[in-house]
Amino acid sequence: MRDRSQDEAMAEQFQDDPAYALQLLNSVLEDGDQAELLIVLRQMAKAFGGVQTIAEKANRNATQL
């Protein structure tokens, strides 16, 4: 059995419970530091289709995110 990375595990959890993803993001924005924010954003991008997909949904260029 292959071990999952932390990013894979969190991405799966965010997919299963988008409300939790939003709650965590808001918490990190309120209390976290920049490194923590970047980790959560990386995990969320993985969960929700990657940076390109998120940029398209937000009507932005991926380099603007």
Side-chain angles (χ1 to χ4, degrees):
M1 178 179 209
R2 182 176 89 85
D3 288 336
R4 294 185 306 163
S5 72
Q6 178 71 17
D7 284 355
E8 290 171 338
M10 291 304 295
E12 185 177 312
Q13 188 168 3
F14 295 153
Q15 289 171 339
D16 292 343
D17 190 356
Y20 170 70
L22 180 59
Q23 179 184 15
L24 179 61
L25 180 59
N26 285 331
S27 176
V28 170
L29 286 170
E30 190 173 308
D31 301 325
D33 60 16
Q34 184 177 8
E36 188 176 13
L37 176 61
L38 292 173
I39 291 167
V40 169
L41 290 175
R42 180 183 68 229
Q43 293 167 341
M44 287 186 180
K46 184 175 187 70
F48 299 113
V51 173
Q52 186 63 41
T53 300
I54 293 169
E56 289 170 4
K57 289 180 181 180
N59 296 318
R60 297 284 183 249
N61 184 307
T63 60
Q64 293 175 308
L65 293 181

